[in-house]
Amino acid sequence: MRAFSASLERLIEQFESLPGIGHKTAQRLAFYVLELPDEAARAFADAILDAKSAVRQCSVCFNLSDSMVCPICDSPERDTATICVVSDPRDVAALERTHEYHGRYHVLHGVISPMNHIGPDDLRIKELVARVAAGGISEVIMATDPNTEGEATAMYVSRLLRPFDVKITRLAYGVPVGGHLEYADEITLLRALDGRREF
Amino acid sequence: MRAFSASLERLIEQFESLPGIGHKTAQRLAFYVLELPDEAARAFADAILDAKSAVRQCSVCFNLSDSMVCPICDSPERDTATICVVSDPRDVAALERTHEYHGRYHVLHGVISPMNHIGPDDLRIKELVARVAAGGISEVIMATDPNTEGEATAMYVSRLLRPFDVKITRLAYGVPVGGHLEYADEITLLRALDGRREF
């Protein structure tokens, strides 16, 4: 026999359908929501619907945005001559947290992955080429993930951009700050040695 | 500068306000919801609002229910002469998963806890006494949590029920099935020895 009310069980199921949320956690979250004040529960529901209806891709950089042009592309304070190429909107968030990058972005929305049937045409690559071709860009920083697919994508994109008069760079490889040297893998150590700098 | 759209950040904040959900997980969940089909996202939002508006306490046992009387109290197949007393609706769910209990429940909605200023009048205790006083009950099983507050509450409730012609029992203490004996604490082992049964 169903132990809870049908509507509570539906809410538990909804939470359980989220990635990484098991049954116990789903139950805990559903009970928490049930005990929220009415307006807080409504705010949660509204946030889901608002995000679904309002969020689109910026028409310039394809980062997620509520407006046609995202706040970063729209800002007069950002350096319009520099584009940092990332594979995912979450990478924009990570880079923004450094507070040290003042250029614009270009979000590819994935990486080239033949295994997953994702080719260059499935990504925002031709839009990047068009941005560079339109002129006014001095540097493109490749900041795809430091793994095989990310590297291959960066390689592919940089080859397409080579005809244009633009500097193409990529993020430095090396040992992560705050880590332990002994846990770094050989490839990372090799790259850190290669990229060593004078004190 | 805000890296995401305002509505996406609001959704991340909503997930982050849930217990046990950190920023990274909230971000992951928000992106997942954003990629859901429209109707799935709407179903999620509706499940929150429905649960908030529909869920109430059963007028008989105070378990959570969509109707005045919950399916368990309403069922002609359940033994109406047995009441299992628990502190929380989640305990009903746990006991129902055994598929072996066929009586009804009574949910106290908490335990007596002087530290947290929760006294007997804050719980559904007088409603339980009224159910037993109304007659037709042969056994009351105390199934509050096996800790100090749960025990004290069970003790208090059972004392109130003593004047009535009703058998009062409680769940057996012992070593949990599937555990290792060496990890059992002394009190549990003592209770398991006390409650030993013939093979």
Side-chain angles (χ1 to χ4, degrees):
Chain A
M1 181 156 304
R2 191 163 52 213
F4 295 132
S5 74
S7 52
L8 177 53
E9 295 214 333
R10 266 198 304 278
L11 183 56
I12 295 173
E13 276 163 28
Q14 286 290 344
F15 275 115
E16 209 172 345
S17 73
L18 298 175
I21 304 287
H23 184 72
K24 290 259 166 169
T25 306
Q27 194 173 296
R28 187 164 50 80
L29 297 179
F31 270 83
Y32 177 83
V33 167
L34 214 59
E35 280 158 20
L36 284 178
D38 273 348
E39 60 274 32
R42 175 159 293 279
F44 194 174
D46 285 348
I48 292 171
L49 299 175
D50 286 354
K52 274 304 287 183
S53 67
V55 176
R56 66 186 81 187
Q57 294 182 1
C58 168
S59 60
V60 179
C61 73
F62 301 96
N63 188 15
L64 298 179
S65 168
D66 288 343
S67 44
M68 280 290 284
V69 176
C70 77
I72 294 174
C73 288
D74 204 34
S75 166
E77 284 157 35
R78 307 292 295 223
D79 165 19
T80 59
T82 309
I83 296 178
C84 180
V85 178
V86 296
S87 64
D88 192 283
R90 274 159 280 207
D91 302 330
V92 174
L95 286 159
E96 284 298 286
R97 279 196 291 273
T98 67
H99 297 292
E100 283 299 326
Y101 176 68
H102 305 295
R104 288 179 173 182
Y105 294 92
H106 191 91
V107 183
L108 297 177
H109 286 276
V111 287
I112 298 169
S113 173
M115 296 268 282
N116 299 309
H117 308 286
I118 299 171
D121 291 343
D122 300 315
L123 308 176
R124 297 293 190 178
I125 291 178
K126 56 185 176 303
E127 289 86 349
L128 172 62
V129 175
R131 279 179 80 180
V132 174
I137 309 293
S138 59
E139 180 175 359
V140 175
I141 305 168
M142 302 305 303
T144 49
D145 282 334
N147 54 32
T148 317
E149 291 182 339
E151 286 246 35
T153 306
M155 196 81 80
Y156 178 89
V157 170
S158 63
R159 208 172 300 142
L160 289 182
L161 298 179
R162 210 166 295 159
F164 304 100
D165 179 27
V166 59
K167 190 161 99 184
I168 304 171
T169 58
R170 66 157 191 222
L171 291 188
Y173 289 108
V175 287
V177 178
H180 289 279
L181 205 66
E182 59 174 322
Y183 298 133
D185 62 290
E186 305 88 307
I187 313 281
T188 300
L189 277 177
L190 199 67
R191 300 293 188 106
L193 270 172
D194 276 354
R196 68 188 181 280
R197 295 166 68 171
E198 271 190 69
F199 251 115
Chain B
M1 184 158 302
R2 193 164 49 213
F4 295 131
S5 75
S7 53
L8 177 53
E9 296 215 331
R10 264 198 304 277
L11 183 57
I12 295 174
E13 277 164 27
Q14 285 290 344
F15 275 116
E16 209 174 344
S17 74
L18 297 176
I21 304 288
H23 185 71
K24 289 259 166 169
T25 306
Q27 197 174 292
R28 187 164 48 81
L29 298 178
F31 272 83
Y32 177 83
V33 167
L34 215 58
E35 279 157 21
L36 285 177
D38 274 349
E39 59 275 30
R42 176 159 293 279
F44 195 174
D46 285 348
I48 292 171
L49 298 175
D50 286 353
K52 274 303 286 183
S53 67
V55 176
R56 66 185 83 186
Q57 294 182 1
C58 167
S59 60
V60 178
C61 73
F62 301 95
N63 189 15
L64 298 178
S65 168
D66 288 345
S67 43
M68 280 289 284
V69 175
C70 78
I72 294 175
C73 289
D74 205 33
S75 167
E77 283 156 36
R78 307 292 294 224
D79 166 19
T80 58
T82 310
I83 296 177
C84 181
V85 179
V86 296
S87 64
D88 192 284
R90 275 159 277 206
D91 301 330
V92 174
L95 285 159
E96 284 298 287
R97 280 196 292 274
T98 67
H99 297 293
E100 283 299 326
Y101 176 67
H102 304 295
R104 290 179 171 183
Y105 293 92
H106 191 91
V107 182
L108 297 177
H109 286 276
V111 286
I112 298 170
S113 172
M115 296 268 283
N116 299 309
H117 307 288
I118 299 171
D121 291 344
D122 299 315
L123 309 176
R124 297 294 189 178
I125 291 178
K126 55 185 176 304
E127 289 86 350
L128 173 63
V129 175
R131 280 179 79 180
V132 174
I137 308 297
S138 60
E139 182 175 358
V140 175
I141 304 168
M142 302 306 305
T144 49
D145 282 333
N147 54 32
T148 316
E149 289 180 341
E151 286 246 35
T153 306
M155 195 80 81
Y156 178 89
V157 170
S158 63
R159 207 172 301 144
L160 288 182
L161 298 179
R162 211 166 293 159
F164 304 100
D165 179 27
V166 58
K167 191 162 98 182
I168 304 171
T169 58
R170 65 157 192 223
L171 293 187
Y173 289 108
V175 287
V177 179
H180 289 279
L181 205 66
E182 60 174 321
Y183 298 134
D185 63 289
E186 304 89 306
I187 312 281
T188 300
L189 276 177
L190 199 67
R191 299 292 187 107
L193 270 173
D194 277 350
R196 68 189 181 277
R197 294 167 68 171
E198 270 189 70
F199 251 117

